Each structure stands twice: as structure tokens, then as C-alpha cells.
Amino acid sequence: MTLQLQAPSFAASLSSFVSPLNRSTRRPVIRAKAEPSDKSVEIMRKFSEQYARKSGTYFCVDKGVTSVVIKGLADHKDSLGAPLCPCRHYDDKPAEAGQGFWNCPCVPMRERKECHCMLFLTPDNDFAGPEQAISLEEIRESTANM
Amino acid sequence: MAVSVTASTILSLSSDRTTRLAAAAASSSSSSCSKLSSSTSLRFPAQLRRVRIGTQDSRPRLLPPVEAKKQTFSSFQDLLATSEKPVLVDFYATWCGPCQFMAPILNEVSITLNDKIQVVKIDTEKYPSIADKYNIQALPTFIIFKDGEPFDRFEGAMTADQLVERIETTLKVK
């Protein structure tokens, strides 16, 4: 076993912190994970707003959660062609995307308004905020350091 | 089977992300050895380095760099076997909103319950075999391992207080 000094970074900050890099000492780092395309993010953002209104649900008080999920949906839309739920682990993602149960809006959401991603929250939920809208700017800011 | 796990539960204010990414890249390309890392207690070095963090009002903040202990294990099983304390494992994914929501909460809880439990995070997209082994479906899923075996299991995001209560209640049972 070797002991190494680790300098882990904060996986994602849902606060208002933006990239802290000091220009004189660091360069921008390479992202380990590919970002979803802007087009897909915009599509999923619009979808989320519309579906929240339609279903009478609200976004999380912490819009960072909303942002991450929207990006996750966009990422799956890019890679699989369908917005597979990003808050699940799958044996075979393409098969699941083809099957459709977990494509957003998933069956539990459509039938029972259950969204464990915390994207669409019923008003009685502790984490539900007052909003059914989110801007591209909000999404960018919340996920800037991911 | 090449399995590697990156686990980090400690908020580090060092901005050297390349180290972590390099380590992750190195471990994922290794075919013979699986590496896991876990973080233990926070240590505050004597010297505090001034780190500028951009906030909405751009005040310079003084924040201490944190040393997280990274250990290399030959497998996840090895990590479980050599841990003296029960292990809380967080199965997560990068683009899972509630998982990211839990990240700072896990940091807080690992400090609060430092001597009672060890916190480990596993990226289910990087290490799907471990996630499959424990039948992970919804994310985040938390499993508390005791003596190397799953002892308690629960899903979903929660507040720090709720998580602490759940851990303490579970560990009191035995």
C-alpha cells in the first residue's frame, strides 16, 4: 500500500463559488468528464420548465441540483439519443434508453409524480422551491467548477 | 478485472485538480492493479496559504489547505477488510443532482463522525462492476459496511442531521 498526498477537488459546488484558480500559479485544468452539448442542455432546460409547469411541480430550492440533473439528461441525450435518468445505475444504458421506462419523464414521474432526481418536486416536498424556471446562466454558474 | 475507485470525501481547497485527474487516469489505465483511495481525518498544516476564491462579492478569503490521506488498495474488498471502522460508501454519478447535493454533507458528516465511520465515495460510471455487485439502482445509494459486509442500506438525499442520525442509529444496533 502506498500513501500518497492527495489533493482532491470538490466534486461539485452547489454554492455560488466559481472557479478559484489564481492566474499566476495555475492553468485551467482538463475536465475528466465531457460536457454535454449546449444544444442538448438548452433542449432539456426548456423541457424541464415546460414539464414542471404542466405537472404542477417545482424546482429544488438549490438550483444547483436542478442544473446538474438537466446537464445529466443532456449528456444522455447526446450519448444515447434519449434523456435517460441520470440518477440511476444501469447494466446496459442503450438497452434502457431503447426500452423507455427511465427516459425522462420516467414512468414513476408520469404516474405518481415521483422524481428521485429532485428535478420535479411536488409543493409539499421539503426541498421544493418556488420556481418553475431556470436560466441557462443559472445552469452554467452552478456547474462551472464541475 | 481492473477495478479502481476514487474516493474523496474531504473538501480540499487546493486547486490542484490535475493531480486527482492524473491519478484517476493512471488508475483507470492500469490493468493489473486496482486502486482505491479513501480519505481520513482532516489535518491542518501550520502554515495557511492564502487562496483566493471567487464569490459573488469577490472578497478574498483565507482558507486552509487540507491534506487528505490517499491510500492505494488492491481492491475494494481490501479497503473494506483493512478498515478499522465501519465504512459508509456513497455510490454516485457525476450528473446525478442529489449525489452532488450530498457531497458537502458527506464532508461535514465525515468530520463530525470522524472516529465512528470512514466515508468512501464510488463513481458508479467509473466502477460499474462494484455497483453491479451490490445491486445499486437509484443514486445516491449509501451502504454502511461493517466487518466487510453490507450492514445497512438507504437511498436518496438528506440533510446532514438526518444522515448523522441514520448512521448513529444503525451503528448502535450492534
Side-chain angles (χ1 to χ4, degrees):
Chain A
M1 250 179 353
T2 54
L3 282 175
Q4 305 164 32
L5 256 186
Q6 181 184 11
S9 65
F10 205 26
S13 170
L14 303 178
S15 66
S16 59
F17 288 126
V18 292
S19 181
L21 301 181
N22 185 328
R23 243 177 282 149
S24 63
T25 56
R26 300 263 182 259
R27 311 194 86 88
V29 294
I30 307 157
R31 293 190 191 282
K33 198 103 189 155
E35 283 276 318
S37 67
D38 285 343
K39 182 177 164 191
S40 291
V41 171
E42 181 57 19
I43 291 172
M44 297 320 301
R45 184 190 72 82
K46 281 230 148 70
F47 155 75
S48 300
E49 288 187 334
Q50 282 166 6
Y51 197 78
R53 284 195 304 267
K54 178 173 146 183
S55 61
T57 54
Y58 294 83
F59 292 150
C60 185
V61 276
D62 184 338
K63 289 287 198 60
V65 172
T66 313
S67 303
V68 169
V69 175
I70 287 176
K71 278 204 165 174
L73 290 168
D75 180 63
H76 279 157
K77 187 155 166 50
D78 285 341
S79 60
L80 304 166
L84 198 62
C85 176
C87 308
R88 278 190 81 83
H89 171 66
Y90 306 95
D91 284 334
D92 183 346
K93 278 193 182 182
E96 291 282 356
Q99 200 273 330
F101 188 96
W102 287 110
N103 285 346
C104 187
C106 64
V107 170
M109 179 63 203
R110 281 185 266 148
E111 289 186 351
R112 296 183 299 279
K113 295 197 180 171
E114 281 174 12
C115 174
H116 69 282
C117 281
M118 293 168 65
L119 176 60
F120 303 114
L121 298 167
T122 50
D124 57 301
N125 191 304
D126 288 341
F127 291 103
E131 295 177 41
Q132 293 173 317
I134 185 167
S135 68
L136 200 52
E137 194 53 38
E138 279 180 277
I139 295 177
R140 280 203 189 118
E141 274 178 16
S142 301
T143 58
N145 52 353
M146 281 189 71
Chain B
M1 164 177 86
V3 172
S4 47
V5 167
T6 317
S8 155
T9 61
I10 302 304
L11 169 58
S12 168
L13 302 159
S14 159
S15 52
D16 187 10
R17 283 182 246 173
T18 51
T19 308
R20 179 179 74 91
L21 294 177
S27 58
S28 64
S29 64
S30 148
S31 57
S32 56
C33 135
S34 330
K35 272 188 252 169
L36 288 125
S37 57
S38 66
S39 310
T40 54
S41 50
L42 283 172
R43 281 182 225 136
F44 292 88
Q47 264 179 332
L48 296 181
R49 189 174 72 227
R50 200 177 188 90
V51 176
R52 188 180 179 97
I53 302 276
T55 60
Q56 276 176 345
D57 49 8
S58 293
R59 279 169 310 173
R61 311 261 296 270
L62 191 69
L63 297 157
V66 166
E67 228 179 72
K69 195 162 109 177
K70 180 175 178 174
Q71 294 177 284
T72 306
F73 299 87
S74 58
S75 72
F76 179 57
Q77 292 307 315
D78 196 24
L79 184 158
L80 291 178
T82 56
S83 175
E84 300 142 5
K85 303 176 276 189
V87 183
L88 173 71
V89 181
D90 167 27
F91 292 90
Y92 75 99
T94 303
W95 294 118
C96 159
C99 303
Q100 300 303 335
F101 175 81
M102 289 303 290
I105 291 175
L106 281 170
N107 279 321
E108 194 186 320
V109 168
S110 81
I111 297 166
T112 307
L113 299 179
N114 183 42
D115 37 336
K116 293 196 187 136
I117 199 156
Q118 166 131 347
V119 181
V120 171
K121 283 165 65 170
I122 294 182
D123 185 337
T124 57
E125 292 194 316
K126 288 203 179 87
Y127 310 109
S129 51
I130 303 181
D132 287 342
K133 177 175 177 179
Y134 295 103
N135 282 319
I136 304 299
Q137 297 191 343
L139 301 172
T141 291
F142 300 95
I143 300 183
I144 296 177
F145 285 85
K146 222 169 146 74
D147 303 321
E149 293 299 321
F151 190 70
D152 187 21
R153 178 184 177 126
F154 47 101
E155 297 169 357
M158 64 195 80
T159 64
D161 290 337
Q162 289 169 330
L163 182 56
V164 168
E165 200 192 318
R166 180 76 189 233
I167 295 170
E168 291 188 328
T169 306
T170 296
L171 296 182
K172 251 183 236 145
V173 171
K174 213 239 151 194

